[in-house]
């Protein structure tokens, strides 16, 4: 029985082959096969095919690699520069914890460039800024932003009270916390590759701290020491929690531009928290007093230092968010910890810090751990590309088989 029923026509087409039951059934079968393939992709049964969609993370394309390189450069430049500028601030008599907290998030207007330029200037996306930015994403962004603001405050309090060696030693624990929380929250698989990297980078940070044991500040009372100790531990735990929480949230984010939009809201929330704290605790008076009388390089250099901190911290957090979205929370944590070694090298080059045997070993361990992890990521991406090509080839052969 022929299922194809042709509507009556006074002028039937001359080419009756196009209306034959055989060709029509082949066409229907091909169409059903295509719809089934699309259904498979939409239901995550075929992840390799799914990542080819425009709004996902295409891990083998040039656009993905370009975004990955740009975000890591932002993380690299931002982390090293903010570390050097923060040290410059404290070396030249800057001392306000609230200023140190505020500059970490106050550069949020810079995120307007990666949000609006791709659509209005470069015309490389059809999605308008903040399109499909739901109320749920807004609430999540504000909540995480407040958590980030608290982390910034704890980090500043720890830095202001503890010696550099103790602070580095305590912060090195965040990578271990990050691995544990990633396993719990985003089901991160523990492999020899990531476990080896975590161990090497943690050992590197411990050696770095031991090699800086002479950095103890003058007048450090037991009370201030314990405040700084628990503040730094809290900052490490919060940041270790922040990374896998963001990875979990980003699983429902469609594109890189939306990541930057969420980051903008987070930084606004963190800045609002820091601004309220400054207003209550006299932080704005600290800025005026430091710039006018305390900063020994003068008012001009004070504001250059503050603005430089604002820009570089924003680059650091932008790069971190991009790395988490494009790779994973563990990779973001590993990249940030690996940059501790580069901060040491930066201090040697800019400030003439000593570079003894312990720091040399620490830097080598850091480079070894990071390079091994990056090489492992490279091999994984090659396997993904090979699997994707095989899937595409098999799909093409199935299409040909259906037509014939």
């Amino acid at each position: 029985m022929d299922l194809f029923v042709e509507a009556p026509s006074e002028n039937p087409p001359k080419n009756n082959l196009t209306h034959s039951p055989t060709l029509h059934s082949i066409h229907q079968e091909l169409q059903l096969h295509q719809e089934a393939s699309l259904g498979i992709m939409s239901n995550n049964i075929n992840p390799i095919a799914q990542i080819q969609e425009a709004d996902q993370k295409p891990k083998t394309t040039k656009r993905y690699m370009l975004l990955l390189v740009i975000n890591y450069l932002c993380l690299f430049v931002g982390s090293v520069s903010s570390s050097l500028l923060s040290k410059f601030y404290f070396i030249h008599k800057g001392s306000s914890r609230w200023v140190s907290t505020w500059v970490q998030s106050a550069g949020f207007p810079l995120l307007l460039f990666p949000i609006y330029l791709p659509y209005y200037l470069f015309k490389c996306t059809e999605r308008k800024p903040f399109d499909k930015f739901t109320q749920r994403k807004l609430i999540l962004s504000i909540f995480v932003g407040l958590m980030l603001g608290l982390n910034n405050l704890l980090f500043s309090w720890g830095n202001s009270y503890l010696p550099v060696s103790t602070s580095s030693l305590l912060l090195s624990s965040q990578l271990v916390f990050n691995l544990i929380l990633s396993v719990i929250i985003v089901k991160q698989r523990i492999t020899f590759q990531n476990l080896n990297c975590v161990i090497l980078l943690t050992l590197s940070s411990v050696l770095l701290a031991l090699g800086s044991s002479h950095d103890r500040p003058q007048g450090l009372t037991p009370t201030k020491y314990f405040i700084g100790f628990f503040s730094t531990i809290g900052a490490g735990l919060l940041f270790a929690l922040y990374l896998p929480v963001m990875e979990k949230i980003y699983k429902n984010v469609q594109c890189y531009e939306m990541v930057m939009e969420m980051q903008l809201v987070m930084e606004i929330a963190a800045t609002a928290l820091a601004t309220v704290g400054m207003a209550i605790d006299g932080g704005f008076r600290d800025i005026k007093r430091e710039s006018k009388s305390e900063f020994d390089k003068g008012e001009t250099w004070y504001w250059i230092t503050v603005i430089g901190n604002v820009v570089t911290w924003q680059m650091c957090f932008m790069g971190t968010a991009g790395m988490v979205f494009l790779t994973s929370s563990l990779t973001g944590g590993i990249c940030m910890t690996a940059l501790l070694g580069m901060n040491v090298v930066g201090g040697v080059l800019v400030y003439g810090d000593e570079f003894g045997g312990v720091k040399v070993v620490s830097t080598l361990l850091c480079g070894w751990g990071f390079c091994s992890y990056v090489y492992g990521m490279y091999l994984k991406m090659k396997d993904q590309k090979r699997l994707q090509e095989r899937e595409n080839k098999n799909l093409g052969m199935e299409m040909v088989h259906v037509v014939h």
Side-chain angles (χ1 to χ4, degrees):
M1 178 179 180
D2 190 1
L3 296 177
F4 178 73
V5 180
E6 183 178 353
S9 172
E10 294 181 358
N11 300 308
K14 294 180 180 180
N15 188 0
N16 291 326
L17 289 175
T18 58
H19 292 270
S20 66
T22 304
L23 286 180
H24 179 71
S25 62
I26 291 175
H27 175 72
Q28 280 186 323
E29 188 176 353
L30 180 60
Q31 187 175 11
L32 288 173
H33 182 82
Q34 290 173 337
E35 290 175 354
S37 300
L38 291 173
I40 290 174
M41 287 188 279
S42 64
N43 288 309
N44 295 327
I45 297 175
N46 188 348
I48 301 301
Q50 185 187 21
I51 61 175
Q52 293 178 319
E53 294 295 314
D55 288 337
Q56 299 297 323
K57 296 180 281 186
K59 295 188 177 182
T60 57
T61 65
K62 291 181 179 179
R63 183 175 184 269
Y64 171 83
M65 292 305 301
L66 179 62
L67 281 175
L68 191 63
V69 170
I70 290 173
N71 279 273
Y72 187 72
L73 286 176
C74 285
L75 178 59
F76 178 86
V77 174
S79 177
V80 175
S81 301
S82 62
S83 173
L84 295 175
L85 286 170
S86 295
K87 187 171 184 177
F88 184 83
Y89 170 77
F90 286 111
I91 284 176
H92 296 289
K93 312 301 181 184
S95 59
S96 174
R97 293 186 296 272
W98 282 110
V99 172
S100 179
T101 302
W102 187 77
V103 298
Q104 293 182 54
S105 58
F108 63 85
L110 296 173
L111 293 173
L112 295 174
F113 292 103
I115 291 174
Y116 284 95
L117 290 185
Y119 180 78
Y120 288 103
L121 182 62
F122 300 128
K123 308 293 184 182
C124 59
T125 178
E126 296 181 357
R127 177 185 174 273
K128 290 184 178 180
F130 292 96
D131 185 32
K132 297 182 181 179
F133 194 88
T134 61
Q135 186 179 6
R136 182 173 181 272
K137 288 185 173 64
L138 177 64
I139 294 172
L140 285 173
S141 300
I142 293 173
F143 173 76
V144 176
L146 293 175
M147 184 177 75
L148 189 61
L150 179 59
N151 172 80
N152 295 343
L153 176 60
L154 292 173
F155 177 78
S156 299
W157 273 61
N159 265 356
S160 66
Y161 285 133
L162 291 182
V164 174
S165 58
T166 307
S167 179
S168 299
L169 180 61
L170 294 175
L171 286 174
S172 67
S173 62
Q174 71 90 13
L175 189 56
V176 178
F177 294 148
N178 185 11
L179 177 61
I180 295 171
L181 292 172
S182 294
V183 171
I184 295 172
I185 296 174
V186 294
K187 311 303 180 185
Q188 172 73 49
R189 289 178 59 240
I190 297 180
T191 64
F192 173 78
Q193 172 193 333
N194 56 39
L195 186 59
N196 175 64
C197 184
V198 167
I199 292 172
L200 288 174
L201 290 179
T202 303
L203 286 175
S204 171
S205 301
V206 170
L207 286 175
L208 177 62
L210 295 176
S212 307
S213 58
H214 60 278
D215 294 334
R216 189 178 184 87
Q218 297 179 354
L220 183 64
T221 64
T223 301
K224 290 182 178 179
Y225 179 85
F226 280 111
I227 291 174
F229 181 91
F230 287 109
S231 294
T232 306
I233 286 290
L237 278 170
L238 269 180
F239 195 75
L241 176 63
Y242 162 79
L243 293 175
V245 165
M246 288 314 303
E247 182 180 354
K248 185 82 171 178
I249 293 172
Y250 288 158
K251 290 184 182 298
N252 297 317
V253 170
Q254 288 76 30
C255 59
Y256 178 79
E257 290 80 9
M258 188 176 287
V259 172
M260 292 297 103
E261 291 161 6
M262 294 187 70
Q263 189 66 23
L264 176 68
V265 177
M266 290 177 204
E267 299 293 344
I268 291 174
T271 305
L273 180 66
T275 303
V276 170
M278 287 182 72
I280 294 174
D281 201 39
F284 291 105
R285 291 195 301 271
D286 291 341
I287 292 180
K288 186 176 181 180
R289 186 186 68 252
E290 286 183 346
S291 64
K292 294 290 184 182
S293 59
E294 294 187 5
F295 199 72
D296 60 16
K297 283 289 185 178
E299 187 174 0
T300 301
W301 274 104
Y302 179 83
W303 287 111
I304 290 175
T305 305
V306 169
I307 293 172
N309 264 295
V310 167
V311 173
T312 53
W313 272 111
Q314 199 54 233
M315 291 177 67
C316 183
F317 281 118
M318 173 184 168
T320 303
M323 290 295 292
V324 171
F325 174 71
L326 295 169
T327 56
S328 68
S329 56
L330 182 61
T331 301
I334 285 173
C335 289
M336 291 202 69
T337 307
L339 288 173
L340 288 174
M342 295 308 301
N343 292 339
V344 173
V345 175
V348 172
L349 295 177
V350 177
Y351 298 114
D353 294 347
E354 293 181 4
F355 196 58
V358 174
K359 287 187 178 180
V360 171
V361 174
S362 172
T363 305
L364 289 176
L365 281 174
C366 182
W368 179 16
F370 180 68
C371 289
S372 66
Y373 189 79
V374 170
Y375 181 68
M377 285 182 60
Y378 167 74
L379 293 179
K380 185 177 180 181
M381 289 174 65
K382 282 188 67 175
D383 290 340
Q384 285 180 331
K385 186 174 183 180
R386 193 180 301 115
L387 183 59
Q388 177 183 338
E389 290 173 351
R390 190 183 303 125
E391 290 285 335
N392 290 340
K393 183 178 179 181
N394 292 339
L395 184 61
M397 292 178 64
E398 289 176 5
M399 291 293 187
V400 172
H401 177 71
V402 169
V403 171
H404 290 286

